[in-house]
Amino acid sequence: DGYHIVTVIAAHAANATLYQGKLPFDTQKSFAPISLVAIAPLVMTANLSMPFKDVREMIAYARANPGKLNYGSAGPGNTSHLAVEYFKSVAGVDMTHVPYKGTAPALNDVIAGHIQVLFSDAPPGLPQIRAGKVRALGVTTARRIPVAQEIPPIADTVKGFDTAPWQMLMAPSGTPAPIVDKLHKAIVEYIASADG
């Protein structure tokens, strides 16, 4: 019959909490983890008309104007939505969620000024930042990211803040351990050779 491999994203881990009892599978018991393959930091972007230039100023503005900043996400329960909710809780700010059907339309509305803030995926966000269409405030990982060393981590201002969507490969539960181990070893070796 063969074994299937699936790519699982970070939202998979949150789904067990967000949709308790409503999923057709158990997120922890239905899969055998093989390997983490990617971490994709988000970039906090802002409309250029906003008076804040960095995370510290943005927090001060949000605290002085509770609920008046609108932030977009790629959809309810998406990693960009959860990242902002995490940020709101640790930074002590109140912002209003505006869900979109993907990052691109949300990013377009940051550019147009319909919403003020977005935790954007880096691939669509960085070209807009570099074109001067949106302002980068920070990255969601604890360290700077290689493709955008000029953008400081949010953690420089909000101590301990560190979150990013991830992707991993999984097999169905019950996949024999030797197969999972062999796949894990091959993937880890491939990633190490690609990094080198």
Side-chain angles (χ1 to χ4, degrees):
D1 213 27
Y3 296 96
H4 303 280
I5 296 175
V6 296
T7 303
V8 178
I9 60 171
H12 173 87
N15 285 343
T17 302
L18 294 173
Y19 304 105
Q20 287 182 354
K22 296 179 183 174
L23 295 175
F25 55 87
D26 184 315
T27 58
Q28 294 184 4
K29 295 179 182 175
S30 298
F31 302 94
I34 297 170
S35 180
L36 178 70
V37 293
I39 295 174
L42 301 173
V43 181
M44 181 192 275
T45 60
N47 177 268
L48 296 176
S49 69
M50 291 291 93
F52 42 83
K53 306 284 190 267
D54 57 32
V55 174
R56 183 188 56 78
E57 291 178 359
M58 180 268 191
I59 290 171
Y61 181 89
R63 286 179 180 165
N65 299 277
K68 292 186 179 175
L69 279 180
N70 294 320
Y71 76 90
S73 77
N78 182 281
T79 51
S80 61
H81 176 211
L82 299 177
V84 179
E85 290 299 320
Y86 171 44
F87 173 79
K88 286 170 49 180
S89 70
V90 296
V93 297
D94 178 23
M95 299 188 295
T96 302
H97 180 217
V98 180
Y100 287 80
K101 292 181 179 178
T103 299
L107 189 56
N108 286 338
D109 273 6
V110 173
I111 294 167
H114 301 304
I115 57 173
Q116 294 77 46
V117 177
L118 172 69
F119 278 36
S120 175
D121 297 307
L126 290 176
Q128 302 306 325
I129 292 163
R130 293 185 174 137
K133 294 182 178 180
V134 294
R135 179 177 297 124
L137 302 178
V139 295
T140 60
T141 47
R143 294 185 190 91
R144 291 176 188 256
I145 58 175
V147 295
Q149 288 285 327
E150 70 280 10
I151 306 173
I154 293 169
D156 286 359
T157 304
V158 181
K159 298 303 175 204
F161 188 85
D162 185 9
T163 187
W166 46 261
Q167 292 182 343
M168 72 181 305
L169 293 178
M170 291 190 176
S173 64
T175 301
I179 293 174
V180 172
D181 293 344
K182 184 175 183 178
L183 289 168
H184 172 77
K185 183 179 177 190
I187 291 165
V188 168
E189 286 175 358
Y190 175 77
I191 291 172
S193 69
D195 287 344

